[in-house]
């Protein structure tokens, strides 16, 4: 099947730079996606965008180029609840990828079992309105109860302004809960202002809540590093990510978010994204927790 990508959508960055920051041995890119290829794994009818293809082989090439050892492949909304492309990326990774799926209420125990065997370790609940249609919370809670029994966790994606309304649902989830991209803070607001304080309180009061300190390119208002190599890429995001890393060092994850869905103005160089890491995890110990210890504990507990 032929798919035309959404107009205005930027292609992912080809030929990313070699990062100056050397990630520690065994580092995990804990948030990335595969898109299709659409001819092999068609995009879902209910999708809100059509991406450009981004295959598992291209993902593995990026992993090696950036110096990472493993990936966590997160089901993207353009594939709906058809997890075949993501599962295919896991099964061809030689054990170097684990996954997070999207499932609906009707998913069978056999399907969950097959995904577990392929390396899936969680489900994603998406509340970002531009990406998905509404799913009733009782359906999500039912899914959470089922996947808790097989040791999976829940990944949640939402906008910061929606946290108050979603609080009761999130805090009732019976699993580890991993928040995508720090709950998408408005980094134009103060890092110690009420909105981000609520997120800090969410993590402080609930020891089962983790956060990905990812996507500075999505959150930044100040924008990408200037040409010629600025010292502080996406500098307005740094205080937010750094605060989470330093306050909750054992519950943070990092990922590239390759191939960066839905970006229309700026497509990051993934090498520069890696160079962002030492600005938010400033010591070797924090870097090891963020990139190795924490993702291994969550996704490869049998090896950590
Ligand atoms: C991300 C962010 C986005 C998209 C998706 O599944 C998705 O379509 O997650 C976004 O547009 O903010 O984490 O990839």
């Amino acid at each position: 099947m032929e798919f035309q990508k959404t107009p205005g959508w930027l292609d992912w960055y080809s030929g990313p730079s070699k990062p100056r920051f050397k990630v520690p041995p065994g580092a995990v890119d804990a948030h990335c996606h595969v898109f299709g290829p659409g001819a092999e794994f068609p995009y879902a009818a209910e999708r809100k965008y059509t991406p450009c293809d981004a295959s598992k082989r291209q993902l593995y090439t990026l992993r090696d180029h950036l110096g990472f050892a493993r990936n966590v492949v997160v089901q993207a909304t353009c594939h709906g609840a058809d997890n075949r492309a993501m599962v295919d990326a896991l099964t061809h990774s030689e054990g170097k990828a684990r996954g997070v799926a999207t499932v609906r209420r009707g998913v069978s125990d056999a399907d969950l079992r097959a995904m577990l065997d392929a390396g899936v370790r969680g489900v994603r609940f998406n509340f970002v309105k531009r990406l998905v249609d509404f799913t009733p919370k009782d359906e999500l809670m039912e899914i959470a109860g089922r996947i808790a029994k097989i040791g999976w966790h829940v990944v949640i994606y939402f906008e910061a302004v929606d946290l108050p309304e979603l609080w009761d649902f999130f805090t009732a989830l019976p699993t580890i809960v991993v928040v995508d991209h720090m709950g998408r803070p408005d980094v134009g607001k103060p890092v110690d202002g009420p909105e981000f304080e609520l997120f800090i309180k969410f993590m402080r009061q609930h020891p089962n809540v983790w956060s990905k300190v990812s996507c500075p390119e999505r959150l930044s208002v100040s924008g990408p590093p200037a040409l010629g190599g600025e010292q502080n890429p996406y500098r307005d995001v740094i205080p937010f990510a750094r605060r989470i890393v330093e306050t909750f060092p054992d519950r943070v994850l990092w990922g590239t978010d390759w191939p960066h869905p839905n970006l229309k103005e700026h497509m990051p160089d993934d090498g520069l994204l890696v160079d962002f890491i030492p600005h938010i995890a400033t010591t070797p110990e924090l870097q090891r927790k963020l990139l190795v210890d924490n993702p291994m504990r969550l996704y490869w507990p049998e090896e950590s």
Side-chain angles (χ1 to χ4, degrees):
M1 202 184 299
E2 282 278 319
F3 290 93
Q4 289 297 321
K5 75 171 177 168
T6 303
W9 233 73
L10 294 175
D11 288 350
W12 45 275
Y13 200 97
S14 62
S17 59
K18 196 82 184 161
R20 280 176 290 181
F21 172 63
K22 295 258 170 297
V23 298
V28 182
D29 174 354
H31 187 97
C32 50
H33 310 285
V34 286
F35 296 149
E40 194 181 352
F41 301 108
Y43 299 111
E46 72 270 27
R47 69 191 181 280
K48 304 290 183 202
Y49 62 85
T50 305
C52 44
D53 290 338
S55 74
K56 57 181 182 288
R57 299 275 164 222
Q58 290 163 324
L59 175 65
Y60 305 155
T61 300
L62 180 76
R63 174 199 66 202
D64 295 345
H65 174 78
L66 298 178
F68 284 81
R70 303 174 197 235
N71 295 114
V72 178
V73 186
V74 177
Q75 174 75 355
T77 56
C78 55
H79 279 295
D82 176 353
N83 293 284
R84 284 176 298 167
M86 181 271 294
V87 165
D88 178 68
L90 308 189
T91 52
H92 289 87
S93 73
E94 299 172 354
K96 293 180 188 161
R98 293 252 148 114
V100 174
T102 295
V103 302
R104 309 268 185 250
R105 178 175 252 156
V107 67
S108 68
D109 288 340
D111 284 345
L112 289 178
R113 181 82 232 173
M115 286 194 278
L116 174 68
D117 291 345
V120 173
R121 294 294 179 268
V123 292
R124 190 182 197 204
F125 295 164
N126 201 321
F127 299 89
V128 178
K129 297 177 185 85
R130 68 184 159 80
L131 290 173
V132 285
D133 296 323
F134 174 78
T135 306
K137 295 205 182 74
D138 66 326
E139 174 171 345
L140 297 177
M141 199 52 89
E142 183 185 307
I143 291 167
R146 286 178 65 195
I147 60 101
K149 293 191 190 121
I150 52 173
W152 289 9
H153 59 272
V154 175
V155 173
I156 52 177
Y157 191 25
F158 61 93
E159 306 275 359
V161 288
D162 295 326
L163 180 56
E165 192 246 309
L166 292 164
W167 182 281
D168 290 346
F169 173 74
F170 289 164
T171 56
L173 287 167
T175 61
I176 285 180
V177 175
V178 180
V179 179
D180 277 342
H181 318 329
M182 302 184 276
R184 292 192 62 103
D186 177 346
V187 301
K189 294 181 179 167
V191 68
D192 55 359
E195 194 175 273
F196 200 58
E197 285 300 341
L198 187 69
F199 185 70
I200 296 289
K201 179 175 161 192
F202 180 45
M203 290 195 72
R204 184 168 283 130
Q205 288 188 350
H206 301 282
N208 63 322
V209 176
W210 296 39
S211 178
K212 292 179 197 162
V213 286
S214 41
C215 275
E217 75 286 1
R218 244 176 234 294
L219 303 173
S220 181
V221 183
S222 67
L227 283 176
E230 189 182 327
Q231 286 308 303
N232 288 336
Y234 309 110
R235 62 185 177 280
D236 50 352
V237 184
I238 291 173
F240 292 80
R242 199 165 156 176
R243 183 161 179 212
I244 298 179
V245 169
E246 291 176 357
T247 313
F248 309 105
D250 298 312
R251 293 189 265 143
V252 283
L253 302 169
W254 186 89
T256 54
D257 195 31
W258 186 89
H260 310 286
N262 284 310
L263 292 186
K264 298 186 183 78
E265 282 164 24
H266 158 66
M267 180 56 64
D269 168 350
D270 295 278
L272 291 182
L273 284 180
V274 174
D275 285 336
F276 182 72
I277 296 171
H279 296 284
I280 63 170
T282 53
T283 67
E285 189 192 357
L286 288 173
Q287 291 159 7
R288 201 197 61 242
K289 285 176 183 244
L290 175 67
L291 298 170
V292 185
D293 298 353
N294 299 342
M296 287 301 289
R297 210 165 68 249
L298 192 56
Y299 288 99
W300 283 270
E302 69 281 7
E303 289 184 44
S304 75

